[in-house]
Amino acid sequence: DLKPGDRIPSERALSELFGVGRPVIREAVRVLSMMNVIEIRQQGGMFVTQLDGQSDLDFFQLYMKSGQISLTEVTEARLILEVACVALAATHITEEELDKIERLLRDVSIDDAEGFAEADRDLHRAIYASTGNRALQLLMQTVSMWTVVREIVHMDHLRICAALRARDVERSRECMRQHILHIDHIQTISDSIVKAELSKMLDTARVEAL
């Protein structure tokens, strides 16, 4: 019977209500918080989340954190969805949306890890939004972006933006595919060869961006 914004009863009250120990209630609260179903506020108390489109019920993140979805599965899903997504964006993107993406690329600093990660998420969301497909946009927002090597990612983004500016469907598709494969490759190569591999990939990305 609870509605968004309502306060949830205390752990003790819930324990009595459901006839279980408080550790069970704490675990349930932890899971529901991870899914953004409930919000735990600093000043005390648990509340039903206000679902306004900005806070998704993130089952994807829950499954990722519990190990039930592998990185390989994520990469396969991204290759299917994001490559098609950027191709659709190339035919629908507006000048205003292109300007927004270019501002994100221009203003971001690869030396600012937190700022770069935020700009990375904003850029992908801007691409999803430019498809004009709200169902696809909401679906893609559940996929968390991993910022792995900032310079390589930034070069890939420049190539994607250039392809979108040209409204080139095939080039957009290929740039996004390479971007996802770059990230997948970085995540799977061993520590012993990471520096050499990243150097080669960065040189290639720079040449392709020119």
Side-chain angles (χ1 to χ4, degrees):
D1 297 327
L2 295 174
K3 301 181 294 298
D6 284 352
R7 188 185 184 100
I8 297 171
S10 66
E11 284 186 4
R12 180 177 179 179
L14 290 172
S15 178
E16 294 174 355
L17 176 64
F18 291 105
V20 298
R22 293 180 71 170
V24 174
I25 297 299
R26 291 192 191 101
E27 179 62 16
V29 166
R30 185 184 69 84
V31 172
L32 290 172
S33 178
M34 287 171 59
M35 294 167 59
N36 292 329
V37 175
I38 67 173
E39 175 189 1
I40 303 174
R41 298 181 183 173
Q42 289 184 345
Q43 57 267 44
M46 301 178 292
F47 297 82
V48 180
T49 302
Q50 294 280 1
L51 298 177
D52 55 7
Q54 298 298 316
S55 52
D56 308 317
L57 295 183
D58 206 338
F59 294 99
F60 184 90
Q61 285 295 325
L62 177 62
Y63 273 73
M64 279 294 298
K65 291 176 181 178
S66 65
Q68 296 183 60
I69 296 178
S70 69
L71 289 177
T72 299
E73 290 176 303
V74 172
T75 300
E76 289 174 348
R78 291 187 64 189
L79 282 169
I80 294 170
L81 293 172
E82 289 199 66
V83 171
C85 186
V86 76
L88 185 60
T91 64
H92 289 77
I93 196 164
T94 65
E95 288 296 320
E96 291 77 14
E97 289 167 333
L98 279 167
D99 290 342
K100 178 179 179 180
I101 291 174
E102 289 176 343
R103 280 197 304 273
L104 287 168
L105 290 169
R106 183 178 61 249
D107 297 342
V108 70
S109 170
I110 60 176
D111 296 321
D112 176 7
E114 184 175 343
F116 188 93
E118 182 64 28
D120 178 64
R121 289 189 291 269
D122 288 344
L123 183 140
H124 280 270
R125 287 170 182 156
I127 292 174
Y128 308 150
S130 68
T131 65
N133 186 315
R134 287 178 293 180
L136 182 59
Q137 181 181 355
L138 183 60
L139 175 64
M140 294 307 302
Q141 282 179 351
T142 66
V143 182
S144 178
M145 300 295 112
W146 293 278
T147 303
V148 187
V149 179
R150 296 195 295 273
E151 288 191 63
I152 292 174
V153 171
H154 187 60
M155 290 296 178
D156 285 346
H157 287 166
L158 289 172
R159 294 174 60 221
I160 292 169
C161 183
L164 290 172
R165 171 63 71 182
R167 290 175 169 76
D168 188 326
V169 173
E170 290 306 315
R171 187 177 165 197
S172 298
R173 195 195 309 272
E174 180 59 19
C175 288
M176 181 61 81
R177 190 181 73 86
Q178 288 297 325
H179 173 50
I180 296 169
L181 291 176
H182 279 169
I183 294 176
D184 181 60
H185 185 60
I186 292 166
Q187 290 171 332
T188 55
I189 58 179
S190 66
D191 291 340
S192 62
I193 60 172
V194 65
K195 289 186 178 179
E197 287 288 331
L198 294 181
S199 178
K200 288 190 290 185
M201 289 174 65
L202 181 56
D203 289 343
T204 300
R206 281 175 174 156
V207 170
E208 291 174 344
L210 294 177

